[in-house]
Amino acid sequence: MNTVRKVARRELAVFFATPAAFIFFGAFLAATLFIFFWVETFFSRNIADVRPMFEWMPLLLIFLASAITMRVWSEEHRAGTLEPLLTAPVGLPTLVVGKFMACLSLVAIGLALTLPLPVTVSFLGQLDWGPVFGGYLASLVLAGAYIAIGLFVSGQFNSQIVSLIVSTLVCSVLYMLGSDTLTGFFGNQGGELLKLLGAGSRFDAITRGVIDVRDLVYSLSLIGMFLSLNVYSLERGRWAGNQTNPVHRRWGVLTGLLVVNFLLVNFWLAPIGVLRADLTAGRIYSISPATTSYLTRLREPLLIRGYFSAQTHPLLAPLVPQLRDLLREYEVAGKGRVKVEFVDPQEKPELEQEAGEKYGIRPVPFQTASRYQTAVTNSYFDLLIKYGDEFQTLGFQDLIEVKSEGDTRLEVELRNPEHDITRAIKKVLYSYQGGGDLFAGIGNPVTFHGYVSAESKLPKPLVELKQNLQEVLDELKKQGGDKFAVAFADPEADGGALAAKLTREFGMQPMVAGLLSSNTFWFYMTLESGGQQIQVALPSTLDKTALENAIRASLKRFSKGMLKTVALYTPPNNPSMAQFGMPSQGNTFQMLTRFAEQEHRVLPVDLNNGQVDPEADILVVVAPERLQPKQLFAIDQFLMQGGTLVLATSPFDVNLQGRLSAEERDNGLKDWLAGYGINLTHSLVLDPQNAAFPVPVERQVGGYSVRETHLINYPYFVDIRDDGMNRANGLIAGIDQLSMTWASPIVINAEKNTGRQVVRLLESSKESWLSDSIDIQPDFNRYGEAGFAQGKAEGRQLLGVMVEGEFDSWFKGKTSPLIEEARNQAEKEKKEQEAATKNNTGNKAVDPAKKPEVIGRVIEHSPDSARIILLSSNTFLADTSLELASGAGGARYLNPLQLVANCIDWSLEDRDLLSIRGRGHFARTLMPMSKEMRMTWEYLNYGLAACGLLVVWGLRRLVRVRVRRHELALIGGRNEQ
């Protein structure tokens, strides 16, 4: 090794003896920076990563490595120093390795000079350093392969130019073998074989942040092969003109064996896909403990089948091997419970027929272009997840994420493959278990408590309901065994001690039946398990089926293996009047519904019957408008039962038709929220840290008005980053950025929330300010490029909050709105009947016995598990807002939907997927910046590159001075002797 270091130092000294070294480094840095900022348009791409640099690195390294190695042996040939070097008392392997290490050190210096780029990106966004480390490691080992090739080629020619050209050609061919341009002519299997041989495709795998032993061995094998060939070619130079002897043959056999072994080790490792390390921050290409936990719950075989056509869109083809490797990990982690298959349906007609008829999987037409024509390719890119008789399918739109830059440039990646696949597994698992044993997923025993008055006090419908209740409970006891117990008690017995306790702890109050009845009674039901107690809602239809459904739905809330039900309220939307050419009015929330349906059963509700469906596990209310007393009562009583309310609302809504304008919105919840110390301020938040928004702008040209659309930084789109998110409880897990559109500040009254837990979830930046103006259209003529007057900073504004604890009902001490409505309806019918009798119209009175019984109960107090999660925007979940944000960013913007999904899972304590939900390639966006700030960062990198070159020059000069001093010291010592 000492000799290797001496040889390497000699080569480095020769390389830095001329300005060529700095010319090479300068050209390499200039090309890297130009590609990063100009070709790949880093700032407009708006992603906090350095993949654009590494995507071009294999090509840049070809020229850098060829330029460095072209003179190593060729110059020795030309200068006539090769013969003395070969006859020196130094082994040829030592010489070759020394020169190789010198060249590799030069490439390492060049790569080190690019480090300011990732450091800069880390200041502009949340950079994932795992792929960066993988990228530099991949660059170094690939450069080693290129250098080994360059050294071998340089040893064959005495012309540096010829060596440069041949090395470049050989490395380029090696790179092109696995490129999409070449693999597109072959099917999946042929393309994957070429990718195994191509240097570029192997490089891409590591730059994704996945270090696969097979990829490292591939590059190391190339290094070993060409260094061996380099040694052998130099050794043959020693024999020039001599007769062949056994020593020569042994050299040839030994070199051949080395080359063959370097090749064979790659074929041996090819089928082994588990020797890999995922360096990404969220282990996006590997299965997590959350996935493993779902796989351990499997009791039946789980089938994952990939339907992939041999010919597909060239942007989708590179994703197939990634899915294949990931699914193999599922198979290994499943320990025999997971079966993974990959098929081409177009080659197996019986499977194609089954896929279409049974699972609804059909080919998708993709437009492709070849050298000679444009064609349409019908191909499959689907996954089937099947468990028992339950199945889920994932198409290419469910699996990929597209980043568009202009009209022609597209970047396609797997969106979040582990989450998408595990989510489907979770849904089929829960659906299958939901149709089977109800108690399979319940850990602790459950006790049913019936607080029911004596039958003599109950109305006739409830007497019958009590009998039905007993039958339902007997059936559940048979199913649950030791996991289910029943206890009944009369709250009014023993002087009403139990009644007082129920009122004090649970807010239960005596019920009344009928419209004018003064007789009170008790009929409450609760389920208790593991210290948690929830109330079973009395069904609106007092029959056995509804009662059984209500109890079963409540039981599912104790299970971690059942599909949960989300009650979703969205404002009614006026139907489209297409025949008049009029679009639908108001915001729609179809994307929210579809997103929630991916993991849960979504139950649309309007709350008009004064009750949340008993099957609901959580209530999500989005953009409510003028809620009626019965609707408010339904929300209030759901909270009093210990439920969680996720609420997205503010005092303003926005009309996107024509000129932008805010409209005051009466949600009907203002006083109700204020009663709990939660106040929505009648203003909007503006923030200099904001997201882009395409705004319609009118420009005057003489007397003519031109309507244009400008993409501007819009202060009403508050861009919330990590410093404005509370990650302490995990509710914001996986979300790096969130845009709150037209949001209002929340003010919490600390006195009214004494004893409750208040968690500030989302806040604007410190520089944000408030405005109560409903004119939200930018005025560029008056305020310049900003479009709005800069207000005085008022500090961080609370835009998302969670309040958990005990709540008193808004209707405490009041008559139930259901009774009020029934009384009003009865009075109205009575007047109509009296008028009919007076006019002798012959109308018959309605038999009171045939009217449905109205039970008036008000739960006046909630348990401490009740929870309100308030997000102060009517619009940030709307389809229009999400589409605008997606269009401005060039990729699907799902962060608001992921926030709501987090709220649902976190509240239902089904939190396994929280850690992996928000991981996506395009989720790490840059911080909002002005054009001037972007230019500053760009030119700073140019300056840092120049400084890096000066540092290398200074170190080189320092080393030369030290060497010179050392030589002078040696000369002086000899003279003295």
Side-chain angles (χ1 to χ4, degrees):
M1 290 303 298
N2 186 43
T3 307
V4 168
R5 285 196 294 270
K6 290 180 179 179
V7 174
R9 282 201 297 267
R10 173 184 175 275
E11 289 298 320
L12 289 173
V14 172
F15 186 79
F16 282 111
T18 65
F22 299 97
I23 294 175
F24 289 150
F25 286 145
F28 175 71
L29 285 177
T32 302
L33 291 170
F34 177 76
I35 288 170
F36 192 75
F37 288 111
W38 291 78
V39 177
E40 295 293 338
T41 58
F42 167 71
F43 286 109
S44 65
R45 184 171 176 267
N46 197 36
I47 304 297
D49 65 12
V50 289
R51 289 193 67 184
M53 178 181 74
F54 288 121
E55 286 175 354
W56 286 82
M57 193 60 70
L59 291 174
L60 294 175
L61 289 176
I62 289 175
F63 296 101
L64 181 62
S66 299
I68 289 174
T69 59
M70 68 179 183
R71 53 155 297 280
V72 174
W73 295 115
S74 298
E75 182 64 17
E76 303 279 7
H77 273 294
R78 189 194 64 79
T81 58
L82 182 60
E83 288 77 8
L85 190 62
L86 294 179
T87 57
V90 179
L92 284 181
T94 302
L95 285 175
V96 171
V97 172
K99 289 179 177 290
F100 171 79
M101 295 303 298
C103 295
L104 190 61
S105 299
L106 293 172
V107 173
I109 293 173
L111 292 174
L113 292 174
T114 66
L115 280 174
L117 275 177
V119 173
T120 296
V121 175
S122 69
F123 285 108
L124 302 180
Q126 290 189 329
L127 176 66
D128 185 353
W129 282 96
V132 176
F133 173 77
Y136 278 109
L137 177 63
S139 300
L140 201 59
V141 294
L142 181 61
Y146 287 161
I147 289 170
I149 295 172
L151 287 175
F152 171 70
V153 172
S154 179
Q156 312 309 308
F157 304 99
N158 58 10
S159 170
Q160 296 186 28
I161 300 301
V162 174
S163 297
L164 173 65
I165 295 173
V166 175
S167 297
T168 302
L169 287 176
V170 174
C171 294
S172 299
V173 169
L174 191 64
Y175 169 78
M176 288 294 294
L177 279 177
S179 66
D180 297 337
T181 304
L182 187 60
T183 57
F185 294 103
F186 301 88
N188 284 339
Q189 295 181 350
E192 289 185 31
L193 178 60
L194 288 175
K195 287 182 180 296
L196 292 176
L197 301 175
S201 54
R202 294 281 195 170
F203 180 88
D204 290 341
I206 302 181
T207 56
R208 290 189 288 114
V210 179
I211 297 182
D212 194 320
V213 171
R214 296 171 297 179
D215 298 328
L216 293 179
V217 169
Y218 168 82
S219 295
L220 294 175
S221 298
L222 287 175
I223 294 173
M225 286 170 53
F226 283 96
L227 290 184
S228 300
L229 292 173
N230 193 189
V231 172
Y232 180 67
S233 67
L234 293 175
E235 184 65 27
R236 288 190 62 184
R238 281 180 170 179
W239 314 334
N242 297 330
Q243 293 182 350
T244 303
N245 58 50
V247 175
H248 301 166
R249 285 192 292 270
R250 282 198 297 270
W251 267 98
V253 171
L254 178 61
T255 304
L257 287 175
L258 284 173
V259 171
V260 170
N261 277 278
F262 282 131
L263 289 172
L264 289 179
V265 72
N266 285 275
F267 288 103
W268 178 63
L269 288 174
I272 303 176
V274 295
L275 300 177
R276 56 200 291 268
D278 191 344
L279 303 180
T280 56
R283 292 179 55 84
I284 193 171
Y285 294 106
S286 304
I287 62 173
S288 63
T291 295
T292 305
S293 70
Y294 285 113
L295 297 180
T296 57
R297 303 179 201 176
L298 298 174
R299 297 296 178 266
E300 301 286 338
L302 175 75
L303 172 65
I304 304 178
R305 180 181 293 159
Y307 295 91
F308 300 110
S309 297
Q311 297 293 336
T312 188
H313 195 283
L315 293 177
L316 295 179
L319 307 182
V320 176
Q322 298 177 28
L323 280 173
R324 190 186 301 272
D325 290 342
L326 180 61
L327 291 178
R328 292 303 181 196
E329 289 199 34
Y330 275 84
E331 189 171 37
V332 173
K335 297 180 179 179
R337 295 184 294 267
V338 178
K339 181 181 179 182
V340 175
E341 298 177 351
F342 296 92
V343 298
D344 184 349
Q346 293 164 332
E347 294 181 355
K348 297 184 177 181
E350 67 281 0
L351 289 180
E352 185 172 24
Q353 181 180 357
E354 179 192 44
E357 293 180 352
K358 192 172 182 179
Y359 307 121
I361 297 175
R362 293 178 175 82
V364 177
F366 295 107
Q367 185 172 356
T368 57
S370 65
R371 182 178 176 185
Y372 300 104
Q373 64 178 0
T374 299
V376 174
T377 302
N378 293 282
S379 64
Y380 289 87
F381 192 96
D382 302 89
L383 288 179
L384 167 70
I385 292 90
K386 187 174 184 292
Y387 185 67
D389 55 354
E390 299 289 338
F391 69 88
Q392 287 283 303
T393 60
L394 299 173
F396 79 97
Q397 292 181 331
D398 302 310
L399 294 168
I400 68 169
E401 188 172 17
V402 180
K403 175 73 175 177
S404 63
E405 300 175 40
D407 296 331
T408 57
R409 295 183 58 185
L410 293 177
E411 188 175 350
V412 179
E413 294 287 350
L414 291 175
R415 184 170 63 91
N416 191 347
E418 186 197 359
H419 175 267
D420 295 332
I421 296 169
T422 302
R423 181 196 68 212
I425 293 175
K426 169 187 172 182
K427 192 165 185 179
V428 297
L429 174 64
Y430 284 9
S431 297
Y432 181 79
Q433 293 180 348
D437 185 4
L438 180 63
F439 293 90
I442 298 177
N444 298 317
V446 180
T447 301
F448 174 91
H449 293 281
Y451 304 108
V452 183
S453 297
E455 291 188 3
S456 59
K457 290 191 174 184
L458 292 177
K460 184 177 179 180
L462 292 186
V463 173
E464 298 176 359
L465 187 67
K466 183 179 180 181
Q467 297 172 356
N468 293 332
L469 173 62
Q470 193 62 55
E471 295 176 6
V472 171
L473 294 176
D474 290 342
E475 182 64 28
L476 290 174
K477 286 187 67 175
K478 292 180 182 178
Q479 296 180 18
D482 296 338
K483 286 189 176 181
F484 190 74
V486 176
F488 277 95
D490 183 354
E492 296 175 311
D494 300 328
L498 179 58
K501 180 181 178 181
L502 294 175
T503 300
R504 182 175 62 256
E505 294 185 1
F506 301 108
M508 298 178 182
Q509 293 292 328
M511 302 178 182
V512 295
L515 303 180
L516 303 174
S517 174
S518 59
N519 296 327
T520 61
F521 59 90
W522 292 76
F523 201 108
Y524 287 92
M525 300 173 290
T526 67
L527 291 172
E528 182 182 10
S529 177
Q532 180 185 5
Q533 194 161 24
I534 63 174
Q535 295 194 36
V536 180
L538 194 64
S540 56
T541 57
L542 304 178
D543 57 72
K544 181 179 179 180
T545 301
L547 179 65
E548 183 177 8
N549 290 338
I551 296 175
R552 286 182 173 273
S554 299
L555 278 171
K556 289 181 180 180
R557 295 176 67 177
F558 292 111
S559 173
K560 290 189 176 182
M562 296 293 178
L563 196 64
K564 305 298 184 181
T565 300
V566 178
L568 176 62
Y569 171 90
T570 56
N573 188 40
N574 294 329
S576 176
M577 301 180 65
Q579 64 270 31
F580 300 107
M582 296 177 61
S584 298
Q585 301 296 316
N587 289 319
T588 59
F589 299 88
Q590 296 179 6
M591 294 178 67
L592 172 63
T593 302
R594 290 195 296 268
F595 195 86
E597 286 175 342
Q598 292 177 346
E599 296 183 34
H600 307 283
R601 175 173 172 256
V602 176
L603 187 67
V605 295
D606 58 18
L607 308 177
N608 286 325
N609 63 352
Q611 183 183 34
V612 179
D613 194 290
E615 295 188 21
D617 297 295
I618 189 171
L619 175 61
V620 179
V621 178
V622 180
E625 183 176 2
R626 293 186 294 274
L627 292 177
Q628 300 303 308
K630 284 203 306 180
Q631 295 174 304
L632 180 60
F633 181 73
I635 295 173
D636 178 275
Q637 292 299 285
F638 184 82
L639 184 69
M640 295 306 112
Q641 292 171 16
T644 295
L645 168 65
V646 180
L647 181 61
T649 186
S650 79
F652 297 93
D653 198 4
V654 174
N655 180 16
L656 296 176
Q657 303 293 330
R659 181 180 176 83
L660 286 175
S661 62
E663 303 171 351
E664 294 188 8
R665 165 70 65 89
D666 178 16
N667 54 27
L669 291 169
K670 179 180 178 181
D671 294 336
W672 183 77
L673 287 171
Y676 301 132
I678 306 172
N679 301 282
L680 281 168
T681 306
H682 195 270
S683 59
L684 291 170
V685 178
L686 294 88
D687 198 328
Q689 180 176 294
N690 54 66
F693 177 48
V695 177
V697 177
E698 292 187 356
R699 178 169 55 89
Q700 298 296 326
V701 182
Y704 178 69
S705 178
V706 179
R707 189 176 181 84
E708 301 175 334
T709 299
H710 290 184
L711 187 65
I712 67 169
N713 291 326
Y714 190 62
Y716 286 99
F717 278 20
V718 181
D719 191 298
I720 304 175
R721 297 290 173 148
D722 193 62
D723 59 346
M725 297 179 177
N726 185 346
R727 300 187 182 278
N729 59 3
L731 203 150
I732 314 292
I735 300 176
D736 299 318
Q737 178 273 341
L738 185 73
S739 292
M740 291 286 283
T741 61
W742 297 294
S744 297
I746 304 170
V747 178
I748 299 296
N749 187 322
E751 294 182 2
K752 289 188 176 182
N753 282 285
T754 302
R756 299 191 194 119
Q757 181 185 10
V758 178
V759 180
R760 301 172 69 91
L761 297 176
L762 302 169
E763 294 180 316
S764 63
S765 75
K766 296 179 181 179
E767 304 301 320
S768 59
W769 71 97
L770 304 179
S771 172
D772 57 3
S773 172
I774 62 174
D775 185 7
I776 57 177
Q777 178 78 23
D779 188 343
F780 299 105
N781 294 326
R782 185 176 180 183
Y783 299 110
E785 186 178 349
F788 296 93
Q790 178 71 35
K792 180 181 178 182
E794 300 190 27
R796 295 190 182 275
Q797 302 299 319
L798 181 62
L799 303 179
V801 67
M802 181 185 72
V803 180
E804 182 177 18
E806 299 179 355
F807 296 86
D808 288 331
S809 171
W810 175 257
F811 296 91
K812 182 177 181 179
K814 302 176 184 178
T815 304
S816 166
L818 305 182
I819 294 292
E820 289 285 351
E821 184 186 54
R823 181 181 292 118
N824 295 336
Q825 183 65 26
E827 291 177 355
K828 178 180 178 182
E829 291 177 357
K830 182 179 179 181
K831 291 179 180 179
E832 291 177 352
Q833 184 64 34
E834 290 175 353
T837 303
K838 183 177 180 181
N839 296 329
N840 297 319
T841 57
N843 287 349
K844 294 182 179 180
V846 178
D847 184 1
K850 295 183 179 181
K851 287 186 175 182
E853 195 77 31
V854 179
I855 305 299
R857 75 165 187 172
V858 176
I859 304 174
E860 296 189 345
H861 186 67
S862 78
D864 58 6
S865 62
R867 180 184 300 124
I868 298 175
I869 300 176
L870 175 60
L871 309 169
S872 63
S873 171
N874 274 319
T875 57
F876 85 115
L877 294 169
D879 296 337
T880 305
S881 296
L882 295 172
E883 289 168 0
L884 288 172
S886 299
R892 283 190 299 177
Y893 182 67
L894 303 176
N895 289 2
L897 306 181
Q898 290 170 353
L899 173 62
V900 174
N902 279 9
C903 292
I904 293 171
D905 286 350
W906 188 89
S907 300
L908 298 178
E909 299 191 7
D910 192 4
R911 304 173 185 176
D912 290 336
L913 292 182
L914 285 180
S915 59
I916 60 175
R917 172 175 285 120
R919 306 178 315 181
H921 288 281
F922 306 134
R924 298 172 179 266
T925 56
L926 300 176
M927 294 291 291
M929 290 175 287
S930 64
K931 182 179 178 180
E932 292 75 15
M933 183 62 67
R934 294 174 182 176
M935 293 178 64
T936 300
W937 282 106
E938 179 180 350
Y939 290 117
L940 174 63
N941 274 276
Y942 299 154
L944 290 174
C947 291
L949 287 175
L950 288 176
V951 169
V952 173
W953 180 83
L955 291 175
R956 169 246 190 189
R957 186 172 181 81
L958 179 63
V959 169
R960 292 187 65 180
V961 169
R962 292 182 60 183
V963 170
R964 181 62 176 167
R965 288 177 178 173
H966 181 66
E967 291 175 349
L968 291 175
L970 290 176
I971 294 173
R974 290 173 182 172
N975 291 335
E976 291 178 1
Q977 293 177 355

